[in-house]
Amino acid sequence: MDIASQKSQMRTFLRRTRRNLSPEQQQDAAYRLSQVIRQHVGQQRNVKIALYHANDGEIDLSFFIEQCHKRDFELYMPVIHSFKPTLWFARYSPGSAMYSNRFGIPEPLHGEPIAPWQLNLVLLPLVGFDTAGGRLGMGGGFYDRTFAHQRRWPKKPKLFGVAHECQKVESIPVEAWDIPLAGVFTDKQAYLSRQKP
Ligand SMILES: Nc1nc2c(c(=O)[nH]1)N(C=O)[C@@H](CNc1ccc(C(=O)N[C@@H](CCC(=O)O)C(=O)O)cc1)CN2
Ligand SMILES: Nc1ncnc2c1ncn2[C@@H]1O[C@H](COP(=O)(O)OP(=O)(O)OP(=O)(O)O)[C@@H](O)[C@H]1O
C-alpha cells in the first residue's frame, strides 16, 4: 500500500477514535493538557501563541485559553486563506466574534493578522503522531504549506503538535514536506523531539 493510502486509513481510524471520547473524557483531557502545556511554557512574558478551536473530537484548548487570558498572553487562531491552501493567523480572545470556515470550523471574524515569524509558539492540531517525529494532520497540508519556508524567516516560532494520548500510534511515515515539530503535547505528557527542529 502506498504512503497516501496508509495515512488515509490511519486518519479514518484515529478521527473515529477521538470522536468516540465521551464529553467527560474530553473535559478531563482538556484540563490535563492545559497543565502539560503550562509546564513547558513556563513563566515567560509577552508570549504570542497560535492555537485552534477544537473540532471533530480534537483535544480542547479552552482551559489553556482561560489560563493564557489571565496571564495576558496574546492568542491567535488559524484562518484559511481565501484563494491559497495556506493559513494566516488572526488575533483571538475569549468572546471574539467568530465565523465558520468551509469546514465548519470557527475562525476570528475581525482578528488582526500577525506575521507567522512573530509568533513564539504554534499549537498544531494533530490526527495522529508517533514518538519519533511522525505526524498526521487532516490531510489538507495547510500547516505544512504555511511553515514550509520558515528556514528563511528572520525568526521561527516553536511548533508543537497537540493530541489526545489515544492518537499515538507505532509509526507514521515522514514525508519530504512534513514540517518538523519540537514535540507533541497530550493529556498525559510532553513528547519532545530529539533533533532540534
Ligand atoms: N481545529 C482545527 N482547525 C484547523 C485545522 C484543523 O485540523 N483543526 N486545520 C488543519 O489543517 C485547518 C483546516 N483543515 C482542514 C482540512 C480538512 C478538513 C475536513 O474535515 N475535511 C473533510 C472533507 C473535506 C471537505 O468537506 O471538502 C474530511 O476529511 O472529512 C477540515 C479541516 C485550519 N484550521
Ligand atoms: N509545502 C508544500 N507545498 C505543496 N504541497 C504541499 C506542501 N506540503 C504539503 N503539501 C501537499 O499537501 C497534501 C497533504 O499533505 P499531508 O497528508 O502530509 O497533510 P497533513 O500533514 O495531514 O495536513 P496539515 O499540514 O494540514 O496538518 C499532500 O498531497 C502534499 O503533497
Side-chain angles (χ1 to χ4, degrees):
M1 202 180 2
D2 64 9
I3 291 183
S5 321
Q6 281 177 34
K7 281 175 127 183
S8 159
Q9 268 193 6
M10 234 186 268
R11 206 172 264 128
T12 306
F13 171 75
L14 290 167
R15 286 180 62 181
R16 193 180 304 140
T17 304
R18 72 184 185 186
R19 277 199 305 265
N20 283 342
L21 295 169
S22 69
E24 292 74 25
Q25 285 172 314
Q26 284 284 1
Q27 194 160 19
D28 191 50
Y31 180 68
R32 291 171 189 273
L33 173 71
S34 70
Q35 293 179 313
V36 171
I37 304 176
R38 210 162 41 155
Q39 280 171 4
H40 287 268
V41 180
Q43 296 301 315
Q44 301 164 53
R45 308 218 146 247
N46 302 321
V47 185
K48 296 178 172 59
I49 305 178
L51 30 72
Y52 60 85
H53 190 284
N55 178 58
D56 189 55
E58 286 168 345
I59 193 160
D60 190 347
L61 285 165
S62 9
F63 278 106
F64 181 63
I65 289 173
E66 280 302 314
Q67 292 165 0
C68 290
H69 192 56
K70 284 186 207 138
R71 294 174 65 182
D72 286 332
F73 287 176
E74 275 182 29
L75 301 181
Y76 295 82
M77 288 221 184
V79 177
I80 297 175
H81 199 281
S82 48
F83 56 88
K84 293 190 290 186
T86 61
L87 305 171
W88 58 275
F89 293 91
R91 184 74 192 269
Y92 166 84
S93 311
S96 287
M98 305 295 275
Y99 173 86
S100 281
N101 66 22
R102 63 182 139 105
F103 300 113
I105 306 173
E107 298 177 344
L109 183 57
H110 304 296
E112 276 292 303
I114 186 171
W117 53 82
Q118 289 179 322
L119 291 163
N120 303 109
L121 175 65
V122 179
L123 300 177
L124 283 79
L126 297 185
V127 173
F129 69 98
D130 64 29
T131 55
R135 63 169 274 260
L136 190 65
M138 288 293 276
F142 286 98
Y143 281 94
D144 288 324
R145 286 194 199 80
T146 306
F147 292 97
H149 304 295
Q150 58 173 340
R151 265 175 301 161
R152 293 192 226 134
W153 293 353
K155 53 182 191 133
K156 289 193 290 183
K158 276 213 164 10
L159 307 180
F160 277 92
V162 182
H164 291 284
E165 184 69 22
C166 62
Q167 292 172 251
K168 184 170 76 151
V169 298
E170 194 56 35
S171 164
I172 295 175
V174 176
E175 296 184 271
W177 57 80
D178 280 338
I179 43 160
L181 302 180
V184 176
F185 297 134
T186 73
D187 46 310
K188 290 275 183 321
Q189 69 176 93
Y191 296 89
L192 303 179
S193 301
R194 286 214 203 123
Q195 282 115 359
K196 206 166 181 281

